[in-house]
Amino acid sequence: ENVSLLFKLYCLTVMTLVAATYTVALRYTRTVETELYFSTTAVCITEVIKLFLSVGILAKETGSLARLITSLKENVFGSPTELLKLSVPSLVYALQNNMAFVALSNLDAAVYQVTYQLKIPCTALCTVLMLNRTLSKLQWFSVFMLCGGVTLVQWKPAQATKVQVEQNPWLGFGAIAVAVLCSGFAGVYFEKVLKSSDTSLWVRNIQLYLSGIVVTLVGVYMSDGAQVMEKGFFYGYTYYVWFVIFLASVGGIYTSVVVKYTDNIMKGFSAAAAIVLSTVASVILFGLQITVTFSLGALLVCISIYLHGLPRQDTTKIQTSEIKSSKERLATV
C-alpha cells in the first residue's frame, strides 16, 4: 500500500509497451525470418536471463556480495521445500510459454492478443476457488462480456495479412486454450505464494526461475532433443530472435513486480492497452485488415476489462451506518 502511484503507473506503462512489442516482434520472427529457431530453447534462454536479472536486482537490494551470497544460501539453496513449491508454477509457465509460441505461429498478432484475454475469467475463477475471494455482479458481468467479445473474434478472425504463411487456426486456438488455463492457475498460485510471506520478491523470482530452467531444459530434450544435437542449441537465432527473448525476459520481471505491488485489475488495464498497440502495429507492419466483427469483439473485450476494473462498492460502511441508525431509533423509542 505504500508504493507510490507514480511507480505503479510506470510499471504498468512499461509492461504494456513490452507486451505489445513482444507480440509483434515474436510474430515477425515466426513469419518473416527465413530460418525458424527452436521455441523450446528460446523459452529456456528466457528463464536464464530472468534469473540473472533477478540475481542482479537482489544484489543491488542487499548492498554487498557477502549479503547476496548469504541470502541465496539461506533462502534458495538452503530451502529445498520452497524450491519444490515454486517448481509447480515453473512447470505450468513452461507449458504456457510453449503454447504461446504455437499459438502465435498459427494466429495473427491481434487475434492472439484479444483471444488470450480469456485468461481474465480463468484467473477470476482461480482467484475465487484458491484465494477465497468474491467478485461483484458487475465484475462477473464483465467476465461474460469478455467471453462474448472473444467469441466474436474467433467467429470471424481478421483477414489474411500481406505476409503469406501457412497457419492452422484450430491448432492456434487450442494452444490458446491450454495457455489460458495455465496462466490462470499459475498466476493465482504464484500470487498466493508471493503474498503469504515476507520473503523478498527477487528471492521468490530466483526460486521460480531456477525451477523453470530445469523444467525448460527437460522440455528441450523431449521436444527437440535430436534436432538440437544436430543443428545446435542456438540454431536459427538472429538479432530479432534475441530481441524477442529479451522482451520476454523483461516482461516476466515486470509481471512479477505488478503482481506484487498492484493487482490483477491493474494488469487488466495494461492488457487492454497492449491490445490496441499490437493491433495498430500489425496493421502497419503486416497489412492486417480489421473486419467489423473483429472490431466489435475487440471493443467488447476492452469494455469488459474496464468494467472489471471498476472499484467495488464498500457495503461495510453502509451496513455500519444502518446499524447505528437503527440503534438510535430504538433508543428514541
Side-chain angles (χ1 to χ4, degrees):
E1 292 97 19
N2 296 326
V3 181
S4 66
L5 178 60
L6 183 61
F7 177 74
K8 292 181 180 180
L9 292 175
Y10 170 76
C11 292
L12 289 167
T13 301
V14 173
M15 182 179 173
T16 300
L17 294 174
V18 170
T21 308
Y22 168 77
T23 302
V24 176
L26 181 55
R27 177 65 181 160
Y28 177 86
T29 61
R30 305 300 287 184
T31 56
V32 179
E33 293 288 289
T34 55
E35 290 186 331
L36 293 181
Y37 55 94
F38 300 115
S39 60
T40 52
T41 62
V43 173
C44 181
I45 295 299
T46 300
E47 295 297 307
V48 173
I49 294 177
K50 287 191 289 187
L51 175 63
F52 278 106
L53 289 175
S54 298
V55 171
I57 297 174
L58 181 62
K60 184 177 181 180
E61 187 179 82
T62 54
S64 67
L65 180 61
R67 292 178 181 176
L68 172 63
I69 295 175
T70 301
S71 179
L72 292 177
K73 286 182 178 179
E74 293 179 355
N75 300 304
V76 180
F77 302 106
S79 302
T81 304
E82 296 299 318
L83 282 175
L84 184 62
K85 185 188 299 183
L86 269 298
S87 66
V88 174
S90 297
L91 178 62
V92 180
Y93 276 132
L95 177 60
Q96 174 193 341
N97 290 331
N98 282 281
M99 289 299 101
F101 275 94
V102 174
L104 277 166
S105 299
N106 292 276
L107 298 173
D108 285 307
V111 177
Y112 164 83
Q113 189 71 296
V114 175
T115 310
Y116 195 57
Q117 299 313 309
L118 274 172
K119 64 184 179 180
I120 293 180
C122 184
T123 301
L125 181 60
C126 290
T127 300
V128 171
L129 296 177
M130 298 173 61
L131 300 180
N132 296 322
R133 294 178 184 172
T134 58
L135 296 178
S136 65
K137 293 180 180 180
L138 182 60
Q139 287 175 322
W140 280 118
F141 174 74
S142 68
V143 168
F144 287 110
M145 180 181 289
L146 175 63
C147 293
V150 174
T151 301
L152 288 177
V153 173
Q154 291 180 338
W155 181 258
K156 192 174 182 180
Q159 301 292 335
T161 64
K162 293 179 181 177
V163 181
Q164 299 298 324
V165 58
E166 184 178 354
Q167 294 180 334
N168 186 343
W170 288 106
L171 178 61
F173 287 126
I176 280 288
V178 176
V180 161
L181 293 174
C182 292
S183 176
F185 172 78
V188 175
Y189 182 94
F190 182 63
E191 180 182 354
K192 186 174 183 179
V193 173
L194 193 63
K195 295 182 177 179
S196 61
S197 66
D198 296 329
T199 305
S200 170
L201 168 64
W202 308 113
V203 170
R204 288 300 190 190
N205 277 343
I206 292 171
Q207 294 170 342
L208 178 67
Y209 301 144
L210 279 174
S211 304
I213 291 172
V214 175
V215 170
T216 52
L217 282 176
V218 173
V220 171
Y221 175 78
M222 295 180 62
S223 300
D224 304 307
Q227 291 182 310
V228 169
M229 291 294 294
E230 177 185 355
K231 299 181 179 180
F233 194 87
F234 300 102
Y235 171 78
Y237 278 49
T238 63
Y239 291 112
Y240 292 106
V241 175
W242 282 110
F243 180 60
V244 168
I245 292 174
F246 174 76
L247 288 175
S249 303
V250 175
I253 293 294
Y254 266 96
T255 299
S256 63
V257 173
V258 170
V259 170
K260 175 69 175 180
Y261 295 110
T262 63
D263 51 35
N264 289 324
I265 295 175
M266 300 292 284
K267 284 177 59 180
F269 284 109
S270 178
I275 291 174
V276 177
L277 289 178
S278 63
T279 302
V280 172
S282 295
V283 171
I284 297 173
L285 298 176
F286 304 115
L288 182 68
Q289 299 177 8
I290 304 298
T291 63
V292 175
T293 308
F294 181 90
S295 300
L296 179 59
L299 179 62
L300 288 178
V301 169
C302 293
I303 293 175
S304 65
I305 293 175
Y306 170 75
L307 292 177
H308 187 79
L310 290 177
R312 298 176 58 180
Q313 183 179 6
D314 189 358
T315 57
T316 303
K317 296 180 180 179
I318 298 176
Q319 293 174 357
T320 303
S321 61
E322 289 179 351
I323 293 173
K324 289 182 178 180
S325 60
S326 63
K327 288 183 177 180
E328 290 176 357
R329 286 195 296 270
L330 287 176
T332 304
V333 174

